[in-house]
Amino acid sequence: MMVKTDNLFPVLLFLIVVFFDTGAGFGAQGPKFTEGGNKHNLSFSNTGVNYKATNASDPRGKQICIFCHTPHNAKPQTVLWNRNDTTQTFGHYSSNTLAIHTDPAAKTSSDYKSEPNGSSRLCLSCHDGVTALGAVLNGDAIEVNNNVNTVMSGTHVFNRTKITNSHHPVSFVYNASVRDRLNVLEGPGNSYQLPTNAKIRLDRENRMQCITCHDPHQTQYNDPTTPFWVLDGTSATNAHDSVCTNCHNFTNNP
C-alpha cells in the first residue's frame, strides 16, 4: 500500500506527542508534554507556564511541535528543525585545570574551543535572551505573550558568564581516550567512566551536550531546581546525583 508523504507528518507528530505524553519507556514523573506545566509546550491551550502563544485566531499557536519542528524546508541541525541558529556569542568553558583542553582526542570537534554546538546550540535558539520564542523558520513569527518579539528573560536565559567558568562544560568529546586521560590526571579517588545508563546520552560525535542531562520533551523528576532532568528517583538526591555518578566517581571526594 502506498502512503502519501504529506500524510505522514501528522502521524509522526501524533506518535511523538503520545510517546512523550505517556512517558513511554521512561516512567515519567513531571508534567506530561500535553499537560499544563510542561514549559516547552508553548501552545495557546497550555496553562501554568511563563511563555505561551496568545493569539487565539492563529491556528499555529494551538500546535505544540511547531515552535521547534516543521515538516518541510527544515534546518539540517536535527530532525525537522524549525528554528534559526542563535546570533549570540557564548564562548566555551575555560579553565587551567580542565584536562580535556590539552587532549587532542577531545578536539575532534573543530569548534571545541569556540562555541557550543550540536543539540546544545539548538537550546540556545530560545534560551539566548535575544531570539523571539515565536520566530519559527517557516512563516511569520507566532505571537507569544501578546507580542511576536517576546524573548526569554531572567533565569530562563542561559548565563554567558557561567558557561565559561562555572557551568558544566558542554560540546566536548567524551570518549574512552578522554576518560582515560582524566583518570590519569585526576587520580583514582575521583575516577571517570563512560555513561552506563541509556537515558544519559552523548551525541553522535560522542560529545557531552545539554541533552546528556536534560530531556527537552519530558522531565523525569518534577523538581524545578533540575528542569527536564533525564532520570527519576526515590529522592531528590537520588534523582540528581545518579546522573552525575554515571560519569563521575566521588567515592573519596564527595
Side-chain angles (χ1 to χ4, degrees):
M1 179 180 68
M2 296 295 293
V3 179
K4 294 180 64 176
T5 56
D6 288 347
N7 295 330
L8 292 179
F9 188 69
V11 175
L12 173 63
L13 290 186
F14 171 78
L15 293 175
I16 290 174
V17 170
V18 168
F19 182 79
F20 288 111
D21 184 45
T22 60
F26 291 94
Q29 301 297 314
K32 297 175 182 178
F33 197 59
T34 54
E35 284 182 351
N38 188 300
K39 297 183 185 301
H40 283 166
N41 176 359
L42 305 185
S43 67
F44 177 82
S45 59
N46 201 1
T47 59
V49 292
N50 296 289
Y51 302 100
K52 57 179 289 186
T54 47
N55 184 356
S57 64
D58 186 348
R60 300 174 304 158
K62 298 179 181 180
Q63 300 178 39
I64 295 175
C65 304
I66 193 172
F67 292 91
C68 292
H69 300 285
T70 178
H72 304 292
N73 301 316
K75 295 279 283 188
Q77 285 91 329
T78 191
V79 179
L80 304 177
W81 193 241
N82 198 25
R83 302 190 66 82
N84 285 307
D85 288 343
T86 177
T87 59
Q88 294 296 94
T89 299
F90 288 87
H92 245 301
Y93 188 98
S94 178
S95 167
N96 292 333
T97 61
L98 185 63
I100 58 176
H101 267 313
T102 56
D103 181 17
K107 298 178 183 178
T108 56
S109 178
S110 61
D111 51 352
Y112 167 63
K113 284 191 174 182
S114 57
E115 286 291 302
N117 56 31
S119 60
S120 295
R121 194 157 191 82
L122 302 185
C123 300
L124 295 175
S125 68
C126 279
H127 290 274
D128 60 359
V130 298
T131 304
L133 294 173
V136 292
L137 180 65
N138 288 323
D140 296 331
I142 302 171
E143 184 181 282
V144 173
N145 288 20
N146 299 308
N147 194 323
V148 295
N149 296 314
T150 297
V151 300
M152 283 187 171
S153 62
T155 57
H156 303 288
V157 178
F158 203 82
N159 191 310
R160 290 172 178 75
T161 301
K162 288 184 177 181
I163 196 173
T164 58
N165 58 37
S166 60
H167 189 277
H168 193 293
V170 294
S171 301
F172 68 93
V173 173
Y174 186 56
N175 55 23
S177 176
V178 176
R179 175 205 59 196
D180 294 344
R181 176 178 171 79
L182 289 171
N183 284 334
V184 170
L185 295 176
E186 300 289 348
N190 192 21
S191 59
Y192 294 78
Q193 62 185 13
L194 298 180
T196 57
N197 192 310
K199 299 176 187 176
I200 300 173
R201 302 170 294 164
L202 302 175
D203 71 8
R204 297 175 185 176
E205 307 298 327
N206 286 324
R207 296 175 301 204
M208 191 275 180
Q209 302 284 15
C210 294
I211 62 168
T212 302
C213 299
H214 301 276
D215 182 339
H217 292 102
Q218 177 65 61
T219 183
Q220 302 304 312
Y221 186 74
N222 191 17
D223 180 355
T225 64
T226 53
F228 293 92
W229 208 234
V230 293
L231 292 184
D232 59 0
T234 56
S235 68
T237 300
N238 182 309
H240 185 273
D241 291 1
S242 57
V243 174
C244 304
T245 55
N246 249 258
C247 295
H248 299 265
N249 181 354
F250 300 110
T251 303
N252 297 325
N253 186 20

